[in-house]
């Protein structure tokens, strides 16, 4: 059995061809899509975070709204860029959203990816410490966030407070028990996967990874997951870890599917590119075919087999109804044959 969720990048554009033409469209449709996913029996609703772009950017109002409108589905991110985050404020926002959702948040965080502007985190008031680069700053923010989530008191109370305080040092509120165990690290390398395991974070691996061996993405990701699990075991954590991979998968069932994805527009091979002058990356292929062909193709994906959770990247600009159709097609025509659901 495998948990299956959707991952929306939350794009909007004023184009007449888009069903999401404004930020309001994307936010409200994201709530509707999560409700549809829960109705269909999906396990998770996940959202990407990008700053300075016409995409979803501030996750916690959306996560809280989805939490209030749903009852069972996991609600998460993939990922929040920690270079832009104040760990203290984030603990309060995450705690509030998790309380509203009844303990269903699954927060994916990371050092982030190349953004729309140069050093965008500087505009948010953050800069690396001396001798530190922005990736290290992001990991430092993450470690502080994790420590604060433990709920230990650290702030000295005012001796003459406006309202009575509990005894001892104070923690941030609202505290949500268990949220610390539901933090995931979006890792693009084997080294950061091992680092995340040591800190007790779950692992998210997307459709992009540093090309460390020259092998296909799914083989590199499977090895990354195995390295993560080995490091987790060595660290001696008592709970079982979770791992996810992201994929673009489109069963071709009707004329709409073939019009959108059946004309050779989806890439059938991994691609190689460069995130910067020195970082070679591998970008995963998309899957689009009739169900019987997809089933055979997906059987060969070693990373999907290794992971316990699969996040389906969706074309959110095609609207709620079409994306619900895609999810239902995967749940009914693909997942049973592969033993996913």
């Amino acid at each position: 059995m495998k948990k299956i969720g959707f991952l929306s990048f939350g794009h909007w554009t004023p184009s007449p061809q888009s069903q999401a033409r404004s930020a309001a469209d994307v936010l409200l449709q994201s709530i509707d899509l999560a409700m549809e996913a829960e109705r269909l029996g999906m396990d998770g609703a996940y959202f990407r975070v990008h700053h300075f772009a016409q995409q979803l950017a501030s996750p916690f109002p959306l996560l809280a709204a989805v939490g209030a409108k749903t009852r069972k589905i996991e609600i998460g991110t993939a990922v929040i860029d920690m270079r832009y985050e104040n760990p203290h404020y984030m603990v309060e926002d995450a705690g509030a959203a998790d309380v509203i959702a009844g303990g269903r948040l699954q927060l994916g965080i990371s050092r982030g990816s190349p953004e729309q502007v140069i050093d965008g985190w500087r505009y948010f008031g953050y800069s690396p410490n001396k001798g530190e680069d922005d990736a290290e700053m992001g990991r430092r923010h993450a470690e502080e966030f994790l420590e604060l989530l433990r709920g230990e008191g650290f702030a000295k109370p005012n001796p003459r407070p406006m309202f009575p305080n509990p005894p001892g040092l104070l923690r941030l509120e609202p505290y949500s028990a268990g949220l610390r165990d539901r933090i995931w690290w979006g890792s693009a390398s084997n080294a950061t996967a091992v680092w995340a395991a040591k800190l007790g974070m779950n692992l998210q691996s997307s459709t992009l990874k540093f090309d460390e061996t020259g092998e296909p993405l799914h083989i590199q990701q499977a090895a990354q997951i195995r390295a993560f699990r080995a490091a987790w075991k060595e660290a001696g954590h008592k709970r079982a870890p979770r791992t996810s991979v992201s994929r673009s998968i489109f069963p071709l069932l009707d004329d709409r599917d073939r019009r959108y994805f059946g004309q050779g527009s989806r890439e059938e091979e991994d691609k190689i590119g460069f995130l910067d002058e020195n970082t070679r990356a591998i970008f995963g292929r998309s899957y689009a075919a009739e169900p019987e062909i997809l089933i055979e193709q997906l059987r060969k994906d070693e990373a999907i087999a290794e992971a316990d959770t699969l996040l389906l990247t969706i074309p959110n600009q095609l609207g709620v109804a079409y994306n619900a159709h895609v999810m239902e097609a995967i749940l009914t025509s693909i997942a049973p044959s592969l033993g996913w659901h």
Side-chain angles (χ1 to χ4, degrees), residues 24 67 79 100-101 114 123 176 199 208 217-218 231 263 278 333:
V79 288
I100 290 170
Y123 296 97
S176 185
L199 290 178
L208 179 155
L217 174 70
H218 72 102
Q263 305 300 319
N278 302 311
S333 66

Side-chain angles (χ1 to χ4, degrees), residues 219-239:
I219 293 176
Q220 294 197 49
Q221 280 185 319
Q224 181 190 42
I225 291 171
R226 289 190 290 269
F228 167 81
R229 288 189 177 132
W232 185 280
K233 183 177 180 180
E234 183 178 349
H237 302 303
K238 295 181 179 179
R239 64 180 175 86

Side-chain angles (χ1 to χ4, degrees), residues 49-51 57-60 77 79-94 107-111 120-122 124-127 137-142 144-145 148:
V49 178
H50 276 291
H51 301 289
S58 52
F60 293 108
T77 51
V79 288
I80 298 172
D81 187 334
M82 293 303 293
R83 296 174 297 179
Y84 289 77
E85 295 296 325
N86 177 319
H88 290 73
Y89 206 110
M90 186 174 172
V91 164
E92 293 182 339
D93 281 350
L107 287 182
I109 64 176
S110 186
R111 59 82 69 192
W121 29 270
R122 293 191 185 276
F124 280 55
Y126 304 114
S127 59
M137 177 180 69
R139 289 191 287 271
R140 171 168 53 83
H141 286 180
E144 188 174 355
F145 175 64
L148 292 168

Side-chain angles (χ1 to χ4, degrees), residues 139-140 142-144 146-147 150 180-181 183 185 192-202 228 231-232 235 237 239:
R139 289 191 287 271
R140 171 168 53 83
E143 291 185 23
E144 188 174 355
L146 294 174
E147 185 61 32
R150 296 185 187 280
R180 171 62 178 79
D181 293 340
I183 306 302
W185 184 258
T192 53
V194 168
W195 172 81
K198 291 178 179 178
L199 290 178
M201 288 186 281
N202 302 307
F228 167 81
W232 185 280
H237 302 303
R239 64 180 175 86

Side-chain angles (χ1 to χ4, degrees), residues 286-304:
S286 296
Y287 293 93
E290 285 68 25
E292 60 274 13
I293 297 174
L294 271 183
I295 290 167
E296 292 309 309
Q297 291 176 337
L298 292 167
R299 283 190 203 280
K300 301 173 183 177
D301 192 310
E302 294 184 15
I304 293 179

Side-chain angles (χ1 to χ4, degrees), residues 62-277:
L62 175 59
L63 295 172
V66 171
K69 288 287 189 176
T70 57
R71 292 294 175 265
K72 297 179 180 179
I73 196 168
E74 294 181 344
I75 307 163
T77 51
V79 288
I80 298 172
D81 187 334
M82 293 303 293
R83 296 174 297 179
Y84 289 77
E85 295 296 325
N86 177 319
H88 290 73
Y89 206 110
M90 186 174 172
V91 164
E92 293 182 339
D93 281 350
D98 198 40
V99 167
I100 290 170
R104 289 182 283 132
L105 253 60
Q106 302 284 341
L107 287 182
I109 64 176
S110 186
R111 59 82 69 192
S113 59
E115 294 292 301
Q116 298 298 107
V117 300
I118 297 171
D119 295 347
W121 29 270
R122 293 191 185 276
Y123 296 97
F124 280 55
Y126 304 114
S127 59
N129 291 334
K130 185 176 180 180
E132 183 183 59
D133 63 20
D134 64 301
E136 291 166 329
M137 177 180 69
R139 289 191 287 271
R140 171 168 53 83
H141 286 180
E143 291 185 23
E144 188 174 355
F145 175 64
L146 294 174
E147 185 61 32
L148 292 168
L149 281 176
R150 296 185 187 280
E152 302 293 334
F154 64 91
K156 185 177 180 179
N158 188 335
R160 293 182 294 276
M162 182 177 296
F163 305 105
N165 281 323
L169 299 177
L170 301 183
R171 67 185 182 190
L172 294 169
E173 300 288 355
Y175 170 68
S176 185
L179 181 56
R180 171 62 178 79
D181 293 340
R182 288 179 272 115
I183 306 302
W184 304 59
W185 184 258
S187 177
S189 70
N190 290 3
T192 53
V194 168
W195 172 81
K198 291 178 179 178
L199 290 178
M201 288 186 281
N202 302 307
L203 176 68
Q204 288 180 339
S205 193
S206 74
T207 52
L208 179 155
K209 183 183 177 298
F210 294 173
D211 185 16
E212 298 181 88
T213 66
E215 297 171 293
L217 174 70
H218 72 102
I219 293 176
Q220 294 197 49
Q221 280 185 319
Q224 181 190 42
I225 291 171
R226 289 190 290 269
F228 167 81
R229 288 189 177 132
W232 185 280
K233 183 177 180 180
E234 183 178 349
H237 302 303
K238 295 181 179 179
R239 64 180 175 86
R242 289 184 60 183
T243 59
S244 74
V245 294
S246 303
R247 291 291 184 271
S248 298
I249 302 172
F250 300 98
L252 303 183
L253 300 183
D254 59 28
D255 289 343
R256 283 183 308 168
D257 302 328
R258 284 182 275 274
R259 184 169 68 251
Y260 287 139
F261 303 110
Q263 305 300 319
S265 61
R266 308 305 293 180
E267 299 292 345
E268 296 184 357
E269 302 289 340
D270 293 341
K271 298 296 182 184
I272 299 296
F274 287 85
L275 298 179
D276 54 40
E277 294 84 355

Side-chain angles (χ1 to χ4, degrees), residues 26-44:
V26 167
L27 289 164
L28 295 172
Q29 288 176 21
S30 295
I31 298 168
D32 291 342
L33 189 58
M35 294 170 65
E36 277 294 287
E38 183 171 76
R39 181 186 67 80
L40 292 169
M42 294 281 283
D43 300 297

